[in-house]
Amino acid sequence: MTNPGTEHAFNREAQYTAKRRAVIRSASGAFRRRGYHNTSMVLIAQSLGLSKAALYYYVKSKEEILYECHIMVYDAMDAAVKSVRGKGTTGLDELQLLYGAFAHLLTRDGLGLLADVDSLKGAFQITVLKRRGSIERSVTRIVKQGMSDGSIKQADARVTVFFLMGALNWLNVWYEPGGRLSGEDIADAFVAQMSQGVAA
Amino acid sequence: MTNPGTEHAFNREAQYTAKRRAVIRSASGAFRRRGYHNTSMVLIAQSLGLSKAALYYYVKSKEEILYECHIMVYDAMDAAVKSVRGKGTTGLDELQLLYGAFAHLLTRDGLGLLADVDSLKGAFQITVLKRRGSIERSVTRIVKQGMSDGSIKQADARVTVFFLMGALNWLNVWYEPGGRLSGEDIADAFVAQMSQGVAA
DNA sequence: AAATAATTCGACTATAAAGTCAATCTATTG
DNA sequence: CAATAGATTGACTTTATAGTCGAATTATTT
């Protein structure tokens, strides 16, 4: 190694961030299944084979975990928005790509939108609401584009978007991984229904 | 009065139930805006001009309030189901009536579906989940009828219903009474979008 | 207006769960 | 194989809030 000591330092750091991510992901699943306030730090710790105190080596507070859970999903959604930008020939086309990507994130990829924004305080809440607003605006932009190019029927764009986002958010409540329907099935069905619902 | 004493006894009883309902309704709004766990009994009491202790004259526990909030909505939804039964000429027609009625309940009538089923324990939770399942089954029945009579396009009925119920549930998060859009506007938009989305 | 019943409250207890910390264990490095 | 840094813990404190209770207040009846 040209830079002695670096490789181990990196491993340490990498393991730390990996374990931190594991905490967030594990908590995210528990929050989705049982709700934020019905999930204790002790339970999160146990499900990772740790003590509660060890958890605080990786996170500053329970609220921070919730915050990171939200951010994790919104990062993935932002990436999806970016990846479909300009890919569709029409607004409807692009909306289909994005909506399908969202549905995949929330089923196949094991991510889950959490409703519990109210439990975040101050800057945490503001940031999360901003991120959600940003996603909604991206979708609205595509919907409006579709209305301009004639692929999507005229309607109140905001209501249309809320309608569609609502269907996605409800996934958390009823979708169970490994159930009768795969993430693909659901994504396909959602895209089909969304598509027909907004088409001109 | 042929039954002396009854009229006052009735007033007492009526006032008690009226006040109890006020507790439930007030709490329902607070739960929707701030979340169940972020709403303390003290706050519910204050918003009614009562002390916390007085609250316990009307309800047995905070959990009971949450339970009643759920039941209140499901009662109204059951009534809606009943009122449209057999009214539509086709499945799609009936679904439009029901979906519009649901949207009205959740906007104009100030009712709100709560997501926090996880905070209910034992029999409370079981009952609420049963009621929700019952509503979903009613909607599914209508959707399937529509698929039979050719008014609704073939698809997985359960996913279709979850999609539609999700949009309704999300209303709690973004709908604000007295905002830019009236309950009517939203109900109309929702029915239109739902309708086109599922039509054959 | 005395007696009774309904309603409300202040001041308390109980409890669950978040968060802290000094001590300990484990891995890494020179 | 010390010595140092990283990781984990048991036992503790703190805090928020649900829930209780006897006393006080208000309304109703005779």
Side-chain angles (χ1 to χ4, degrees):
Chain A
M1 278 279 148
T2 49
N3 198 352
T6 305
E7 71 283 16
H8 289 105
F10 176 76
N11 279 340
R12 274 280 169 85
E13 204 181 312
Q15 286 221 328
Y16 178 88
T17 49
K19 285 194 180 179
R20 186 171 194 276
R21 248 199 287 276
V23 170
I24 312 289
R25 279 192 86 90
S26 173
S28 171
F31 290 167
R32 225 176 321 145
R33 283 189 300 275
R34 315 163 42 88
Y36 176 66
H37 287 283
N38 304 312
T39 306
S40 71
M41 291 296 270
V42 173
L43 194 128
I44 295 172
Q46 277 175 349
S47 75
L48 290 161
L50 287 176
S51 74
K52 178 176 63 158
L55 232 51
Y56 285 89
Y57 184 66
Y58 296 100
V59 296
K60 218 180 81 46
S61 67
K62 190 185 180 188
E63 197 185 354
E64 188 186 79
I65 299 183
L66 180 59
Y67 173 74
E68 296 282 7
C69 287
H70 276 105
I71 294 301
M72 183 172 61
V73 182
Y74 291 130
D75 281 349
M77 290 182 118
D78 279 339
V81 167
K82 218 169 183 178
S83 78
V84 306
R85 186 161 289 160
K87 284 275 161 48
T89 54
T90 64
L92 179 58
D93 203 31
E94 195 163 317
L95 186 60
Q96 285 174 339
L97 291 172
L98 183 59
Y99 203 68
F102 282 172
H104 274 129
L105 286 179
L106 301 177
T107 54
R108 197 190 46 190
D109 300 351
L111 293 177
L113 285 164
L114 298 173
D116 226 321
V117 185
D118 302 311
S119 301
L120 292 170
K121 284 174 237 164
F124 276 152
Q125 187 177 81
I126 290 168
T127 304
V128 166
L129 289 177
K130 262 188 197 155
R131 293 294 297 271
R132 185 163 89 192
S134 163
I135 297 285
E136 281 166 2
R137 246 173 289 119
S138 294
V139 181
T140 305
R141 191 179 39 75
I142 298 175
V143 167
K144 281 184 173 163
Q145 184 196 319
M147 290 180 183
S148 295
D149 67 27
S151 60
I152 291 177
K153 76 159 189 285
Q154 295 292 330
D156 188 297
R158 275 175 61 84
V159 173
T160 302
V161 170
F162 282 137
F163 185 96
L164 300 177
M165 297 311 284
L168 287 179
N169 273 278
W170 194 237
L171 271 170
N172 294 322
V173 178
W174 63 271
Y175 172 66
E176 36 181 344
R180 183 173 62 93
L181 295 161
S182 73
E184 302 288 336
D185 293 337
I186 291 165
D188 290 348
F190 267 47
V191 170
Q193 182 143 352
M194 176 283 286
S195 190
Q196 182 173 332
V198 303
Chain B
M1 278 281 146
T2 50
N3 198 352
T6 305
E7 70 282 17
H8 289 104
F10 175 77
N11 280 341
R12 273 281 170 85
E13 204 180 313
Q15 285 221 329
Y16 178 88
T17 49
K19 285 195 180 178
R20 186 170 193 277
R21 248 199 286 276
V23 170
I24 311 289
R25 279 192 85 90
S26 173
S28 173
F31 290 166
R32 224 176 322 144
R33 284 189 301 274
R34 316 164 40 88
Y36 176 66
H37 288 282
N38 304 312
T39 306
S40 70
M41 291 296 270
V42 173
L43 194 127
I44 296 171
Q46 276 175 350
S47 75
L48 290 161
L50 286 176
S51 73
K52 177 174 65 157
L55 232 51
Y56 284 89
Y57 183 67
Y58 296 100
V59 296
K60 218 180 79 47
S61 67
K62 190 184 180 188
E63 196 186 352
E64 189 187 79
I65 298 182
L66 181 58
Y67 172 75
E68 297 280 9
C69 288
H70 275 106
I71 294 302
M72 183 172 60
V73 182
Y74 291 129
D75 280 349
M77 290 182 118
D78 278 341
V81 167
K82 220 169 182 176
S83 78
V84 305
R85 186 161 291 160
K87 285 272 162 49
T89 54
T90 64
L92 178 59
D93 203 32
E94 195 163 316
L95 186 61
Q96 285 174 339
L97 291 172
L98 183 59
Y99 203 68
F102 282 172
H104 274 128
L105 287 180
L106 300 177
T107 55
R108 196 190 46 190
D109 300 351
L111 293 175
L113 284 164
L114 298 173
D116 224 322
V117 185
D118 301 311
S119 301
L120 293 170
K121 284 175 236 165
F124 276 153
Q125 186 177 81
I126 290 169
T127 304
V128 167
L129 289 178
K130 262 188 196 154
R131 294 294 296 271
R132 186 162 88 192
S134 162
I135 297 285
E136 280 165 2
R137 245 173 290 119
S138 294
V139 181
T140 305
R141 192 179 39 74
I142 297 176
V143 167
K144 282 184 173 162
Q145 183 196 317
M147 289 179 184
S148 294
D149 67 28
S151 61
I152 292 177
K153 76 156 190 286
Q154 295 292 329
D156 187 298
R158 275 175 62 83
V159 173
T160 301
V161 171
F162 282 137
F163 184 96
L164 299 177
M165 296 311 283
L168 287 179
N169 273 278
W170 194 236
L171 270 170
N172 295 322
V173 177
W174 62 271
Y175 172 66
E176 34 181 345
R180 182 174 61 94
L181 294 160
S182 72
E184 302 288 336
D185 293 337
I186 290 165
D188 289 348
F190 267 47
V191 169
Q193 180 143 353
M194 176 284 287
S195 190
Q196 182 173 333
V198 303

